[in-house]
């Protein structure tokens, strides 16, 4: 084996120590910056999702409260407000057919399909639309 008195440029380092070159340090910082940016974006998206979920839960409570405000469809208020939420009820009378298991005869009853749309006061689109059935007091 022959000793090479002239070290190659790749082996040459300032001070002869085992540290990183400037290029290696810049590449490592760039990778770390990309990782931190991705983490920051993921945390921000998670916070936005938590806020959106909380708003949908509040809208669902408003819709349930509006549906529970009247036993019969005729008594349903058509519009309402609950703190920062606005809701609108659409009541459509429709016949509902009831029949038991194995029964030949069925009973028709007039009921109403009630759709509650809930939106935030500053928004144009509905945050939630909830549909349920309510009985009509007066049968035609």
């Amino acid at each position: 084996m022959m000793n090479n008195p002239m070290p190659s440029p790749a082996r040459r380092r300032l001070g002869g120590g085992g540290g990183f070159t400037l290029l290696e340090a810049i590449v490592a910082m760039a990778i770390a910056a990309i990782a931190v940016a991705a983490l920051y974006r993921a945390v921000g998206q998670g916070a936005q999702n938590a806020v959106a979920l909380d708003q949908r839960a509040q809208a669902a409570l408003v819709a349930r409260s509006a549906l529970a405000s009247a036993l019969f469809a005729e008594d349903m208020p058509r519009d309402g407000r609950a703190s920062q939420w606005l809701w609108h009820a659409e009541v459509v009378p429709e016949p509902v057919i009831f029949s038991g298991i194995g029964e030949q005869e069925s009973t028709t009853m007039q009921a109403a399909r009630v759709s509650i749309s809930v939106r935030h006061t500053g928004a144009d689109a509905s945050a939630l639309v909830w549909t349920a059935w309510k009985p009509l007091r007066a049968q035609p």
Side-chain angles (χ1 to χ4, degrees):
M1 274 195 131
M2 195 166 136
N3 245 349
N4 190 355
M6 297 287 282
S8 70
R11 293 184 185 179
R12 256 188 268 159
R13 298 191 185 235
L14 291 177
F20 294 108
T21 64
L22 180 60
L23 181 60
E24 290 171 334
I26 290 173
V27 169
M29 287 193 311
I31 291 171
I34 291 170
V36 167
L39 181 65
Y40 181 74
R41 184 174 181 191
V43 169
Q45 187 66 39
Q48 286 178 346
N49 289 344
V51 168
L53 181 62
D54 183 53
Q55 287 182 345
R56 288 188 56 89
Q58 288 179 16
L61 289 173
V62 169
R64 287 181 66 182
S65 176
L67 279 169
S69 68
L71 178 62
F72 294 106
E74 295 95 339
D75 302 333
M76 274 297 303
R78 297 300 189 251
D79 293 300
R81 180 185 181 109
S83 88
Q84 74 264 24
W85 297 96
L86 300 173
W87 58 268
H88 173 74
E90 184 179 316
V91 179
V92 180
E94 293 183 8
V96 177
I97 300 172
F98 293 100
S99 63
I101 298 174
E103 290 184 17
Q104 298 295 328
E105 300 227 1
S106 59
T107 306
T108 303
M109 178 181 146
Q110 276 297 106
R113 182 174 36 95
V114 180
S115 294
I116 305 283
S117 60
V118 182
R119 68 178 177 88
H120 200 269
T121 53
D124 293 331
S126 294
L128 177 86
V129 177
W130 199 315
T131 302
W133 293 89
K134 288 268 188 189
L136 289 172
R137 181 182 303 122
Q139 296 295 316

